[in-house]
Amino acid sequence: MSQGSAQAADVSSGYVHKPSIGNKIWRYRWLYVFMVPGILYYLVYHYVPMFGLVVAFQDYNLMQGVTGSSWVGWDNFKAVFESPDFPQLMKNTVLLSIYRLVFGMLPDLLLALMLNEIRVRWFKKTIQTLTYGPHFLSWIIVYGIMFSFFAPGSGLVTTFFRDMGWGDIDALTNSDLFRPMLVMTDIWKSTGYGAIIYLAALANINHEQYEAAAIDGANRWRQLWHVTLPGVRDVFMLLVILRLGGILDAGFEQVYIFLNVRVYDVGDILDTWIFRRGIEEMNYSVPAAVGVFKSAIGFVLVLGANKLAKRFGGSGIW
């Protein structure tokens, strides 16, 4: 009996032959080969380093290493939560993260929508290049630009205001202006690059939907509301969920560079505190405990945000 006749007989008798796992692996062997580099990357750089989490439960000694350091249980977490600086650090971290989330995502979407409406190709490419160019500048350079404009007594804008008789601007060392300055510089630096993701999502929208909307009498604003925005909704929700996972990562590099003694009360965050305790004071256990705490909070927020996204009609991450 031929193989086809045998399969037909199996189907007619109600038995469906399922290939073994070995046959499946051999059939898709090249796909698994292509997966190997990605799997190795996550194993080496994401999963193997998780062994270092045990430092959070030890009185870690650099000379004795992870295996030789003594265990202290939850003492490091108690030291973090009982620290008099912890409430202010949490407040500053959460506020800066929320500001970045609220004010940092809409400019990306708005820029992508505006670029999508431009029909002159060379003009669109020029604007796109100018807007995502700042993304490739380091925060050191960005701070240098801000310092040249707002340095106390010698900055370009500071000098202009003083010469005009409008008083002095103390933007870099003013507690009231420090957080807005961080948010504005972050928007300027990352908006153009963030819009690329939305432009890719806009490119995947079927143009027949716009044609159907135009036939129904919808103008450009109606097409934007009923076709464009629903087309990027899932991408927007995905980015929101991913950002919620890093809600306690308020941008260490930017904050550390801009931070100074006069704005510690509004600018000192968990990451800068970790840096001082871990690198400058060489106390690694307490910062490791803060890292575990941040990861746990981010994990819970991602699970909750993903569930809410699915409940309200979104696709979520999984």
Side-chain angles (χ1 to χ4, degrees):
M1 183 183 294
S2 63
Q3 184 178 0
S5 302
Q7 292 178 352
D10 290 339
V11 173
S12 62
S13 63
Y15 173 76
V16 179
H17 175 71
K18 294 182 179 180
S20 64
I21 296 178
N23 290 335
K24 287 183 178 180
I25 293 177
W26 179 254
R27 180 179 180 183
Y28 301 108
R29 59 189 181 279
W30 296 115
L31 295 179
Y32 289 116
V33 170
F34 290 138
M35 290 173 58
V36 169
I39 294 174
L40 289 177
Y41 167 78
Y42 280 98
L43 284 176
V44 173
Y45 294 102
H46 291 272
Y47 284 94
V48 173
M50 289 180 68
F51 176 71
L53 294 178
V54 300
V55 174
F57 304 93
Q58 294 179 327
D59 183 13
Y60 180 73
N61 187 293
L62 188 62
M63 301 302 296
Q64 296 176 349
V66 176
T67 57
S69 299
S70 60
W71 292 87
V72 295
W74 298 95
D75 290 351
N76 293 322
F77 293 89
K78 292 179 181 179
V80 174
F81 299 141
E82 294 175 359
S83 172
D85 299 327
F86 182 74
Q88 188 63 37
L89 293 171
M90 279 294 296
K91 178 183 177 182
N92 294 339
T93 303
V94 172
L95 281 178
L96 280 175
S97 297
I98 292 176
Y99 290 159
R100 290 173 183 273
L101 181 65
V102 174
F103 299 107
M105 293 197 67
L106 288 180
D108 298 353
L109 178 58
L110 292 176
L111 178 61
L113 293 175
M114 288 188 290
L115 290 173
N116 190 56
E117 296 297 321
I118 297 177
R119 295 295 176 260
V120 182
R121 188 175 181 83
W122 67 266
F123 183 70
K124 178 179 179 179
K125 294 295 183 181
T126 303
I127 297 299
Q128 203 171 350
T129 302
L130 292 176
T131 52
Y132 75 64
H135 171 78
F136 300 99
L137 299 178
S138 68
W139 280 114
I140 292 290
I141 297 176
V142 175
Y143 178 77
I145 295 173
M146 294 297 295
F147 189 83
S148 65
F149 279 97
F150 298 102
S154 60
L156 181 63
V157 176
T158 305
T159 304
F160 176 75
F161 269 66
R162 185 178 63 246
D163 293 344
M164 295 297 293
W166 296 341
D168 292 329
I169 297 181
D170 196 14
L172 296 177
T173 57
N174 190 323
S175 298
D176 296 330
L177 299 177
F178 184 73
R179 289 172 182 163
M181 180 181 60
L182 291 180
V183 175
M184 292 298 296
T185 51
D186 182 66
I187 292 174
W188 175 75
K189 187 175 186 295
S190 61
T191 295
Y193 192 81
I196 296 176
I197 300 176
Y198 293 107
L199 287 172
L202 291 171
N204 288 327
I205 298 177
N206 193 340
H207 286 277
E208 293 180 356
Q209 298 183 38
Y210 291 104
E211 295 174 1
I215 293 174
D216 290 338
N219 56 24
R220 295 299 299 177
W221 288 106
R222 287 292 182 181
Q223 294 177 29
L224 174 67
W225 184 259
H226 294 288
V227 179
T228 305
L229 291 180
V232 298
R233 181 188 61 183
D234 290 343
V235 175
F236 184 82
M237 292 304 302
L238 173 64
L239 294 177
V240 169
I241 294 173
L242 293 177
R243 289 206 179 191
L244 283 175
I247 194 69
L248 295 183
D249 296 325
F252 164 74
E253 185 179 359
Q254 180 194 17
V255 176
Y256 184 75
I257 292 172
F258 279 76
L259 194 64
N260 57 77
V261 177
R262 297 183 61 179
V263 294
Y264 261 65
D265 56 332
V266 297
D268 198 18
I269 59 176
L270 286 172
D271 287 344
T272 54
W273 185 76
I274 288 174
F275 181 82
R276 293 197 301 273
R277 292 291 297 267
I279 303 300
E280 297 177 358
E281 299 179 13
M282 299 188 68
N283 180 2
Y284 303 106
S285 298
V286 173
V290 177
V292 173
F293 167 72
K294 289 172 54 180
S295 299
I297 296 298
F299 180 69
V300 172
L301 289 176
V302 167
L303 290 179
N306 187 72
K307 188 173 182 179
L308 287 176
K310 287 186 175 182
R311 177 172 296 182
F312 289 103
S315 60
I317 299 180
W318 63 87

